[in-house]
Amino acid sequence: MFAAAPDLSGPAPSPSLEAMQEIDQDHTPTGAQLFADTVAALGWRQVLHIPGEGILEMIDALARRHPQIRHASFRHEAGMVYAAQALGQQTGRPALCLAARAPGALNTTLALHTADTDAAPLVMVIGQAPLSQAGRDPLSGTDLGEVFRPVVKEVLHVAEARRVPEALIRAWRIAASGRMGPVVVLIPEDVMHQRSETVPPAPPPLPRAGVGAEDLRTLAAWAAQARRPLLLAGGTGWSDTALAALREFTTRQGWPLACAYRSGHLFDNRDPHYAGELGIGIDPALYDAVQAADLVIAINLRLGELNTFGPGGFGGFKLLATRANQKLAHLHPAADELQRAITADLPIACGPDEALQALQSLPTAQPEAGWRARCRAAREAWTASGQCPGPLDLREVFGTLRQQLPPETVLTVGAGAYAVWLHRYFDLVSPRSLLGPQSGAMGYGLPAAIGASLAEPGRPVVAVAGDGCFMMHAEELATAAQLELDLLVIVIDNQGYGAIRAAQQRLFGQAVGVDLRNPDFVAFARAFGAQAERVARTGEWLPALSRMQQARGLRLLALSMPATVSKPV
């Protein structure tokens, strides 16, 4: 912690412009300048924010001292953090965003929770009211640490300018270490005006755990005896080396592999070893295969509610909950995730790189004849089944989308029944090609697409959203337009909260409060300078998509669906 006892002697007024100009004759760096220099030293090349009280000194210092750092201003703080989450996940490095005092900072709460559930590395710096006003209910709040502490990895308080670099470096390390996640740094406004000769130090190497020799011998013995082995992979923090080793291991061993919820991008879905995705809408045959496996090695995924869903209904802690004649090894970088909900026979605290390095040393096993092929056949049968009633077939939509988009395209998606169609019928073939919240946060898709575009400007990005999901953060169309991003948005419009409508009908026989009166999405998008069209029938889809692919800049396709369409039938 970096907190110091507050001075309650009285408020300290902010210095006037004349006073600041006079003080600037002193070349000793201010807290704001130390902040800017540390940001540059840590390699941050873009900063996301909405300018406001408490962070103005930081923004000004960045612009003056390091003009090469790009500033991206958003329209809502939650959209800003969703974009930062996507930026961090795509680059594998913590992203940086700045939030002004409350209410600006408080707007980020759900998005920070989403970053935590998705293990997304980011640092959010909040400009606090001056230390001299602590405990006096100043305008826009004082101590926000207790608000954010339950939904982030760590909250750091900075009470002196000389400790600004230390706090930022520590936040960067915490966000990137172990199970990645968000870190909040609180810096009072008056600290920005203090001066210090502190020189920002270089960031230290990240700590890493590994697989011990005894655990490796146990894994080798289990693998040699297994007849129906199965790999599970998920989470963030995968290097290209680890992903290549994962593909090599499954090919050499002949084991089937399934991915955690919304982690299907870790493994080419067309590969004959790929068996499907866990979580909401799990294929019943995949559920049965996991239960039938005599050895399950789960790498880097949380064995919580989402990844233990059973087929049908909504609810977790079913998969792997009861196991007969099955060994479970759970390898995860956060020790507190091990044995948390599902008890493993072999819990190992290590990240995906260390896990795959250990697995590479295992001798080649002899699985049961046909085991992998049966798992793959079940996957292919699942993706070939299901119907979409109505004039616009979403199976055809996502099948065609896969055929037309470059393999490296990134898709972002929020929460809602519409997302089931993407997960089931769109094959992911490139690493880091899907971003979607595990928190169930609606409104994620569009701002996440902005973050993905900022992370890799030359990589195609498509945001997919339901009408209710899209309207949660539709204001970020303005951000995408202002940043001049090359971005396609697909809105699946069934005039309501489809997943909730289906649940109400199933539970109570009627739907209440779920019908939505939407704007004309085509006119709405055009108001931001986007090219936009509406698609109402399957035959219209490919021509409209082709026109959008030939265009550049911000584009939107609105897909008209009957209110009765929810999930595949």
Side-chain angles (χ1 to χ4, degrees):
M1 296 294 292
F2 292 86
D7 177 8
L8 301 178
S9 58
S14 299
S16 65
L17 176 60
E18 293 78 9
M20 291 177 67
Q21 291 172 337
E22 182 177 340
I23 291 172
D24 278 343
Q25 302 304 313
D26 181 354
H27 296 293
T28 305
T30 64
Q33 291 168 339
L34 287 171
F35 168 84
D37 292 348
T38 307
V39 167
L42 285 170
W44 275 308
R45 294 294 173 257
Q46 41 203 348
V47 178
L48 284 54
H49 55 57
I50 297 179
E53 291 295 327
I55 61 173
L56 298 181
E57 292 83 356
M58 304 181 208
I59 294 173
D60 185 73
L62 282 167
R64 291 177 185 274
R65 296 173 76 86
H66 301 283
Q68 78 281 6
I69 294 177
R70 184 181 189 181
H71 293 243
S73 291
F74 284 72
R75 299 306 181 97
H76 192 283
E77 287 83 1
M80 171 192 73
V81 175
Y82 287 139
Q85 171 182 344
L87 177 58
Q89 286 183 242
Q90 292 303 95
T91 62
R93 294 171 50 86
L96 177 64
C97 55
L98 311 180
R101 301 187 201 175
L106 292 175
N107 277 342
T108 68
T109 308
L110 173 58
L112 286 171
H113 167 65
T114 300
D116 182 60
T117 58
D118 289 4
L122 69 87
V123 174
M124 187 175 82
V125 178
I126 299 175
Q128 281 275 68
L131 282 170
S132 56
Q133 297 180 14
R136 292 189 168 187
D137 192 27
L139 179 66
S140 298
T142 51
D143 185 8
L144 296 171
E146 295 308 308
V147 175
F148 294 111
R149 199 175 303 281
V151 296
V152 297
K153 285 189 74 175
E154 184 64 271
V155 176
L156 305 177
H157 296 258
V158 186
E160 301 173 89
R162 68 182 180 88
R163 303 194 71 181
V164 168
E166 177 189 347
L168 286 178
I169 289 170
R170 184 179 172 194
W172 186 93
R173 177 182 59 78
I174 294 171
S177 298
R179 182 179 184 272
M180 296 178 173
V183 177
V184 167
V185 181
L186 300 164
I187 306 180
E189 188 175 339
D190 43 4
V191 170
M192 292 290 97
H193 298 285
Q194 295 174 6
R195 291 185 178 270
S196 174
E197 292 284 3
T198 304
V199 176
L206 298 177
R208 295 190 181 278
V211 180
E214 183 176 346
D215 289 339
L216 188 55
R217 284 192 292 270
T218 300
L219 280 174
W222 290 354
Q225 298 169 5
R227 301 292 290 153
R228 295 181 304 281
L230 180 70
L231 284 179
L232 303 178
T236 59
W238 289 82
S239 68
D240 291 340
T241 300
L243 290 172
L246 183 66
R247 292 190 297 272
E248 193 280 331
F249 178 83
T250 55
T251 301
R252 174 167 59 87
Q253 296 282 7
W255 293 10
L257 175 143
C259 288
Y261 183 61
R262 294 192 158 169
S263 292
H265 60 92
L266 295 176
F267 202 87
D268 188 339
N269 295 182
R270 303 165 303 181
D271 189 287
H273 299 84
Y274 183 69
E277 183 179 295
L278 308 181
I280 299 172
I282 186 174
D283 175 6
L286 175 58
Y287 177 89
D288 291 341
V290 176
Q291 294 297 90
D294 57 3
L295 172 61
V296 176
I297 300 180
I299 305 171
N300 201 47
L301 67 154
R302 303 175 84 179
L303 293 178
E305 181 180 18
L306 271 180
N307 288 322
T308 58
F309 265 59
F314 193 90
F317 306 111
K318 298 174 183 176
L319 190 72
L320 300 172
T322 56
R323 307 193 311 277
N325 302 316
Q326 181 186 84
K327 296 293 186 182
L328 171 62
H330 188 193
L331 292 75
H332 195 280
D336 58 356
E337 283 296 330
L338 301 170
Q339 314 296 59
R340 186 174 183 177
I342 301 295
T343 301
D345 301 290
L346 183 62
I348 302 174
C350 71
D353 281 72
E354 295 76 25
L356 266 298
Q357 185 178 3
L359 291 184
Q360 291 298 86
S361 66
L362 296 184
T364 302
Q366 296 296 325
E368 179 179 289
W371 165 242
R372 181 208 56 76
R374 291 196 302 274
C375 292
R376 179 61 188 179
R379 159 74 182 174
E380 292 175 352
W382 176 244
T383 57
S385 64
Q387 301 296 321
C388 179
L392 180 55
D393 187 345
L394 289 179
R395 281 188 57 188
E396 183 72 19
V397 164
F398 285 105
T400 303
L401 193 65
R402 173 67 285 167
Q403 294 170 7
Q404 296 299 312
L405 293 179
E408 71 275 13
T409 302
V410 178
L411 266 68
T412 65
V413 61
Y418 70 92
V420 172
W421 298 89
L422 184 155
H423 287 294
R424 186 163 168 179
Y425 299 114
F426 186 91
D427 280 336
L428 299 165
V429 299
S430 296
R432 291 175 285 277
S433 59
L434 178 69
L435 289 164
Q438 298 188 41
S439 65
M442 297 178 70
Y444 172 92
L446 175 57
I450 294 173
S453 295
L454 292 173
E456 300 173 281
R459 191 173 182 182
V461 178
V462 176
V464 181
D467 51 321
C469 188
F470 174 71
M471 288 300 291
M472 294 277 182
H473 280 296
E475 79 284 341
E476 299 306 340
L477 278 179
T479 303
Q482 183 163 338
L483 293 173
E484 299 180 344
L485 299 179
D486 189 19
L487 182 65
L488 173 62
V489 181
I490 298 173
V491 179
I492 300 175
D493 179 11
N494 67 346
Q495 307 90 49
Y497 296 122
I500 304 305
R501 178 190 285 125
Q504 288 180 328
Q505 292 284 5
R506 184 179 69 253
L507 294 171
F508 311 112
Q510 64 175 352
V512 179
V514 293
D515 294 328
L516 297 176
R517 183 174 180 178
N518 290 323
D520 180 338
F521 288 120
V522 172
F524 182 77
R526 289 174 177 170
F528 293 97
Q531 301 178 65
E533 295 186 32
R534 179 169 289 279
V535 176
R537 296 185 175 277
T538 304
E540 301 169 359
W541 167 241
L542 179 56
L545 177 62
S546 298
R547 287 190 292 272
M548 289 298 169
Q549 286 185 285
Q550 293 168 7
R552 289 293 178 267
L554 184 59
R555 295 149 288 151
L556 183 143
L557 286 172
L559 277 56
S560 296
M561 302 298 301
T564 53
V565 172
S566 176
K567 300 176 183 179
V569 295

